[in-house]
Amino acid sequence: MIQTNLLTGQCPRCGATAKHLAYHSRYALRSGQTVFVIRCRHCRKTFCDRFGTTFYDLKTSEEKVQRAVQQGLEGLCPEAVARVEGVHSTTVQRWVERACAQAQAADQKLITDVSPQNVELDELYSFAGEKQPDEQESDLDEVAQHWTHIAMARESRLMLEVVVGPRTQQSATKLVEGAAGRLAPDCWPVWSSDGWEPYRFALTVAFAVLIHFIKGKGPGRPKEPEVVADPRLSYGQVVKKRVGRRLVSVTRRVVFGVEELIPLKQISTSLLERLNGTIRQHVVPLHRKTRSFAKCRTALDTQTQLFKSYYNLCRKHGTLKGRTPAQAAGLSAHGWTLRELLTFNAAITSKIR
């Protein structure tokens, strides 16, 4: 019997329902694995059970590809994975790119309508290619210092958005707008960050309200319309003062919102700073003082986005009683396996049984 994907249950070519799908043929890979071909009676076209997955059009066995991706997610560099699996490092990187595309599709589909009470914002320092490139470098967007900007829902430890790029106003705005797009329409959490000022402008842009002024009785024109932050927005900053490398004081301040209604203890980035350590441990280009740095920003972004989906959907969290962040946020009924992530939204998710 053919077991179709519960998410789609349809032909990937024409969209026909599962009742129009029928077994067509099968063939064997060099690895000995059997691949089944399905035929759609509606459009009369065929597709294999790997169509729409990370493993589609690969001659390597699924187990080997999945094992290589898992090793990369646990902190092994592509060269080390290549030595373990007996393949070229370029092959491993190509598998990671395929897995990232699949993981991002799952992330866009599932990480929506989140209702956290607190959202934390922070950045991780890293670089691609070289730390101090020549100013005449033709492609400065791909090399030089790049920061990993992260937005996390505190209660569920769910990573809402990750943006890899320079530490600029544009990156901060992209992070906040991306995280705001994941929230439920009626959700107004308390946003927290460090004292980096671009977050303030980014929140104003993401939650902007245009105020029009009415002309008074006196002469003259009314004031020009003014863009301000939505009154429902709550945002606070954790300002740390250091002398050299020593932390001497920590102060919390409310930037947007009513101070009496926002407890200062809710203004915190401590859990996201703890998550930064986990990310550095699992994402190879973020390892400190190693030769595993990314050669370009695209490679750094690929591995970071792949880990984001893996962390949210597959990796069980100790402080969440063995649940994944997606389970804690009510977005998934179970913890996903890596194979479920790599075959997300496929036409056929299991073999003919």
Side-chain angles (χ1 to χ4, degrees):
M1 180 180 67
I2 299 175
Q3 184 177 7
T4 54
N5 190 324
L6 297 178
L7 294 174
T8 57
Q10 59 186 14
C11 173
R13 300 188 184 277
C14 69
T17 57
K19 66 180 181 180
H20 295 283
L21 305 182
Y23 168 76
H24 180 269
S25 60
R26 70 181 71 186
Y27 62 92
L29 302 177
R30 289 188 302 179
S31 61
Q33 183 177 355
T34 301
V35 178
F36 295 91
V37 179
I38 313 302
R39 183 175 183 271
C40 176
R41 298 192 186 98
H42 188 267
C43 65
R44 300 182 180 276
K45 294 183 179 180
T46 60
F47 58 93
C48 69
D49 58 356
R50 284 181 162 194
F51 191 89
T53 72
T54 303
F55 314 112
Y56 178 66
D57 205 24
L58 289 180
K59 297 180 180 180
T60 312
S61 66
E62 295 182 10
E63 291 74 15
K64 189 171 186 176
V65 175
Q66 181 176 321
R67 192 166 57 243
V69 173
Q70 181 76 59
Q71 292 167 0
L73 288 168
E74 293 300 328
L76 283 182
C77 65
E79 290 76 14
V81 176
R83 289 192 295 269
V84 172
E85 298 299 332
V87 296
H88 198 274
S89 59
T90 305
T91 302
V92 176
Q93 293 172 357
R94 187 169 64 250
W95 291 345
V96 170
E97 291 174 0
R98 283 171 163 262
C100 178
Q102 201 73 26
Q104 285 185 301
D107 182 81
Q108 292 294 330
K109 180 75 174 182
L110 296 175
I111 312 301
T112 58
D113 291 333
V114 187
S115 299
Q117 296 180 1
N118 297 273
V119 176
E120 299 182 10
L121 306 170
D122 201 11
E123 321 86 46
L124 269 175
Y125 169 77
S126 60
F127 70 96
E130 51 185 324
K131 294 182 180 178
Q132 303 293 337
D134 189 355
E135 294 183 357
Q136 298 179 353
E137 186 76 30
S138 59
D139 197 0
L140 290 177
D141 290 338
E142 289 294 320
V143 299
Q145 298 181 6
H146 290 288
W147 295 68
T148 302
H149 307 75
I150 307 169
M152 184 193 76
R154 183 186 304 173
E155 296 79 18
S156 61
R157 314 298 196 271
L158 187 77
M159 281 198 280
L160 298 173
E161 189 68 22
V162 173
V163 173
V164 176
R167 197 168 187 248
T168 60
Q169 179 65 67
Q170 183 179 1
S171 297
T173 303
K174 186 177 179 181
L175 175 71
V176 172
E177 289 181 342
R182 309 274 186 169
L183 300 179
D186 57 345
C187 180
W188 291 91
V190 177
W191 297 75
S192 301
S193 74
D194 54 18
W196 193 38
E197 282 302 314
Y199 283 134
R200 177 173 183 164
F201 179 77
L203 286 165
T204 304
V205 172
F207 301 99
V209 174
L210 183 63
I211 297 180
H212 295 273
F213 296 93
I214 301 176
K215 184 180 181 304
K217 295 182 179 180
R221 297 179 180 179
K223 292 177 60 177
E224 293 292 332
E226 183 178 353
V227 176
V228 298
D230 194 298
R232 294 171 291 182
L233 175 63
S234 300
Y235 169 54
Q237 291 181 341
V238 181
V239 182
K240 299 179 180 180
K241 183 178 180 181
R242 290 182 172 87
V243 176
R245 295 188 175 183
R246 182 182 178 185
L247 180 66
V248 295
S249 67
V250 178
T251 58
R252 295 175 171 84
R253 64 189 181 194
V254 176
V255 179
F256 295 131
V258 182
E259 295 187 18
E260 291 76 8
L261 300 179
I262 305 176
L264 292 181
K265 65 179 180 180
Q266 290 190 18
I267 303 174
S268 174
T269 60
S270 59
L271 296 182
L272 181 50
E273 290 171 358
R274 171 60 186 87
L275 175 61
N276 289 344
T278 300
I279 296 175
R280 284 199 182 277
Q281 180 181 5
H282 287 266
V283 181
V284 180
L286 296 179
H287 289 181
R288 293 181 180 273
K289 299 182 179 180
T290 68
R291 294 186 299 163
S292 300
F293 60 88
K295 304 305 182 289
C296 63
R297 183 187 61 82
T298 302
L300 174 60
D301 183 60
T302 297
Q303 298 200 41
T304 305
Q305 297 295 343
L306 174 59
F307 177 74
K308 173 180 181 284
S309 299
Y310 173 76
Y311 170 85
N312 284 338
L313 298 170
C314 305
R315 191 177 184 275
K316 295 181 180 179
H317 206 290
T319 59
L320 299 177
K321 299 181 180 180
R323 298 178 299 169
T324 63
Q327 283 180 279
L331 305 177
S332 176
H334 68 287
W336 287 29
T337 63
L338 180 59
R339 188 178 188 281
E340 285 181 286
L341 182 63
L342 299 182
T343 59
F344 172 79
N345 215 22
I348 305 295
T349 57
S350 64
K351 307 299 180 186
I352 296 180
R353 297 175 181 177

